[in-house]
Amino acid sequence: MIFALRQVFLYLQHSLKSTRLHGIHSPFVFSLHNQVIRHKGNFYSFSEIEDLRKQLKVCRDIIQVQDFGAGSRVTNKLTKTIRHIVLNAATPPDLAQLLFRLVNFQNAAVILELGTSLGLTTAYLASANTKATVYSLEGCPTTAQQASENLKNLKINNVNVITGNFEDTLPALLPNLPCVDFVLFDGNHRLAPTLRYFDWCRAKATEASVFVFDDINWSPEMQQAWRQICAHPAVTISVDLFHLGLVFFRKNQPKQHFNIRF
């Protein structure tokens, strides 16, 4: 209850600070707002992924779970039903579809996801550009296996699911990538690991890269991590959508921060 009330209070604060369309003076952010944030189009792959979500919502199969991050606000049991994970941990459709549009907008070819879960968001990222390669890191072996099965059922074949602790898998993967065009940080909601993974991935970022941070208002630690990331000298544009935070590394552009209601 306290967590829910805190989220309502924070969202009201965010809404009061939010920039309206006429207040956006950056041409890049204006295009981002129109083509990604406010766009309501329905793309070809959405229905298939959401049909799978409906099936998983009623699946009472139990799997063993292993969490290396900050855990769950709901329960930290070692076993959970598929239904519970979908209802409490999966990225909701509106945010997942925003990520789909963002991959399209950035024309991302090398996509990195920290936190596969059941693979629903992964499917959106992979479907947004079928020529892209998605590297999705998941700490829990049984969850990763379930995600791989879900992606196979959706006939998505441009995803590499990598299992293991991010502390091991991420530094092993990054040297083998030419760059990272799109990174979704959704696997560890603690301050130090979030900043560490940001620094590791930033070494592979280009001027065209976008980093997306999930649950930036989930806890005081995540709020602190988000503030420090926005303040980093390499970040020129940061966008606070309350649930998600976007950062861009566009050189020759003044440093700007935007609060936008989604």
Side-chain angles (χ1 to χ4, degrees), residues 96-107:
Q97 289 165 14
L98 181 147
L99 296 175
F100 176 102
R101 296 191 296 271
L102 185 56
V103 169
N104 264 328
F105 181 77
Q106 292 292 111
N107 194 27

Side-chain angles (χ1 to χ4, degrees), residues 167-178:
E167 298 289 335
D168 303 318
T169 56
L170 184 57
L173 172 65
L174 286 171
N176 299 314
L177 302 181

Side-chain angles (χ1 to χ4, degrees), residues 6-20 37-38 216-217 223 226 238-246 257-262:
R6 179 178 179 274
Q7 290 294 291
V8 170
F9 175 73
L10 291 174
Y11 184 75
L12 289 174
Q13 282 188 319
H14 171 77
S15 297
L16 290 172
K17 294 187 294 183
S18 293
T19 302
R20 302 299 188 267
I37 298 170
R38 301 305 301 172
I216 57 174
N217 283 293
Q223 289 179 309
W226 172 241
S238 50
V239 180
D240 183 338
L241 299 175
F242 185 73
H243 293 293
L244 297 177
L246 318 179
H257 178 79
F258 298 86
N259 290 290
I260 299 177
R261 187 184 301 178
F262 173 67

Side-chain angles (χ1 to χ4, degrees), residues 3 6-7 70-76 80 88 217-220:
F3 174 72
R6 179 178 179 274
Q7 290 294 291
S72 166
R73 289 282 184 184
V74 181
T75 178
N76 284 319
K80 294 178 184 177
N88 295 288
N217 283 293
W218 191 77
S219 67

Side-chain angles (χ1 to χ4, degrees), residues 130-145:
T130 56
K131 294 182 180 179
T133 302
V134 180
Y135 300 91
S136 187
L137 276 55
E138 173 56 47
C140 174
T142 51
T143 307
Q145 181 180 358

